[in-house]
Amino acid sequence: MGTNQNSILQGCNSNSRGALVVLEGLDRCGKTTQSSRLVQYLEGLGHSAELWRFPDRTTSVGQMISSYLSNKSQLDDHTIHLLFSANRWEKRSLMETKLKSGTTLIVDRYSYSGVAFSSAKGLGIEWCKAPEVGLLAPDLVLYLNISPEKASERGGYGCERYEQLEFQSKVAQYYQVLHDSSWKVIDACQPMEDIEKQLQEMVLECVKKCHNGEPLSQLWLS
Ligand code: Z5A
Ligand code: MG
């Protein structure tokens, strides 16, 4: 076990837990790339860490979402919004168990994607937030900031529903509305390695705070 890890453990108390870290941002901003690098980094330091992503396409709800996203099925906008939310609710209790057992979760998209995408379609933002209330609140949200134009120049853009410039610009506006004190905004146009270094620092600080007993909280309770 390295020196860093030893110094982290000195602050251990009975409320010690893993951190809930979420990566958000427009399509192709680099969330999946950076999420997996973060998990490797934390594991390399001897931390227990897992990579999660939403939608979780492995569940039966997730399969309905996947079919919708790939244009194989059509659903009413409210219905798909609630399915995305249900997909998070079905993982909530496992999420809490993992965090309390000391595992840090690096989560690729969460409720912010849910609200930003559905609001961009024209659903009311408060209506969109309502089913997310009571899910676990992230300790840290890493927002990878990129313009829709720059993102569209990256590989794979344009294969799924929602991957259109005008729509992505609206999504970006709604993300701004959701920004709160748990967010850190990172310029996603930097080289991957530079972004990686910045994220590592932010995540390590958050992991230490949670290890020292920062309480878990719930999302959007007024
Ligand atoms: N959605 C929703 O509506 N409601 C919800 O509640 C949730 C989601 C949770 C599927 O998501 C869709 O579901 C999504 C939102 C909606 N909308 N769309 N479309 P998804 O997570 O499955 O989407 P994805 O297919 O994984 O794509 P992504 O997440 O948008 O991409 P990314 O993970 O941000 O980027 P990446 O895969 O890491 O990188 C993309 C490319 O860019 C790749 O070629 C990289 O090598 C390259 N890249 C990455 N970083 C860099 C840098 N720094 N420089 C240059 N190139 C880079
Ligand atoms: Mg991704």
Side-chain angles (χ1 to χ4, degrees):
M1 191 179 284
T3 320
N4 275 348
Q5 181 69 354
N6 282 330
S7 58
I8 290 166
L9 293 180
Q10 282 166 9
C12 184
N13 70 30
S14 61
N15 294 321
S16 180
R17 63 174 177 89
L20 179 54
V21 177
V22 167
L23 279 88
E24 284 283 4
L26 295 185
D27 286 13
R28 301 296 180 255
C29 65
K31 298 176 294 300
T32 302
T33 306
Q34 295 296 339
S35 302
S36 45
R37 289 181 180 206
L38 275 171
V39 171
Q40 280 173 21
Y41 169 71
L42 290 172
E43 285 177 341
L45 291 179
H47 292 281
S48 167
E50 285 184 15
L51 175 57
W52 284 32
R53 70 181 301 182
F54 290 107
D56 177 344
R57 302 187 195 217
T58 64
T59 70
S60 50
V61 172
Q63 281 161 26
M64 290 170 76
I65 295 172
S66 188
S67 160
Y68 171 82
L69 286 172
S70 54
N71 288 307
K72 291 190 187 110
S73 63
Q74 305 304 320
L75 288 169
D76 165 75
D77 290 345
H78 301 81
T79 310
I80 183 64
H81 180 77
L82 294 172
L83 285 178
F84 272 116
S85 187
N87 189 229
R88 284 182 278 280
W89 276 103
E90 65 184 341
K91 303 302 293 270
R92 188 199 185 281
S93 115
L94 181 61
M95 189 177 250
E96 188 165 352
T97 305
K98 293 267 180 191
L99 292 170
K100 287 188 172 164
S101 73
T103 298
T104 284
L105 302 179
I106 304 292
V107 183
D108 184 355
R109 293 191 187 274
Y110 197 54
S111 302
Y112 309 94
S113 284
V115 175
F117 278 78
S118 294
S119 301
K121 287 171 163 180
L123 302 188
I125 190 162
E126 292 309 320
W127 188 91
C128 292
K129 284 169 91 170
E132 308 292 322
V133 172
L135 286 170
L136 297 176
D139 297 295
L140 176 64
V141 178
L142 300 167
Y143 184 79
L144 300 181
N145 195 26
I146 193 169
S147 70
E149 291 77 15
K150 284 267 179 228
S152 72
E153 291 164 11
R154 293 187 176 170
Y157 197 80
C159 305
E160 277 201 331
R161 200 187 280 265
Y162 302 153
E163 295 181 337
Q164 295 143 10
L165 273 183
E166 199 185 325
F167 184 72
Q168 291 289 319
S169 305
K170 282 193 193 153
V171 173
Q173 286 168 18
Y174 282 102
Y175 267 129
Q176 292 321 304
V177 177
L178 295 171
H179 185 151
D180 67 31
S181 61
S182 65
W183 286 42
K184 303 255 190 239
V185 179
I186 300 98
D187 176 3
C189 294
Q190 303 172 82
M192 283 183 206
E193 291 67 27
D194 293 5
I195 298 172
E196 190 179 358
K197 286 259 164 329
Q198 291 159 40
L199 299 187
Q200 286 174 353
E201 253 179 58
M202 294 169 187
V203 169
L204 205 52
E205 190 186 320
C206 176
V207 165
K208 287 180 188 170
K209 212 174 60 178
C210 296
H211 190 86
N212 288 336
E214 179 84 0
L216 259 177
S217 57
Q218 294 174 50
L219 203 55
W220 295 328
L221 285 174
S222 48

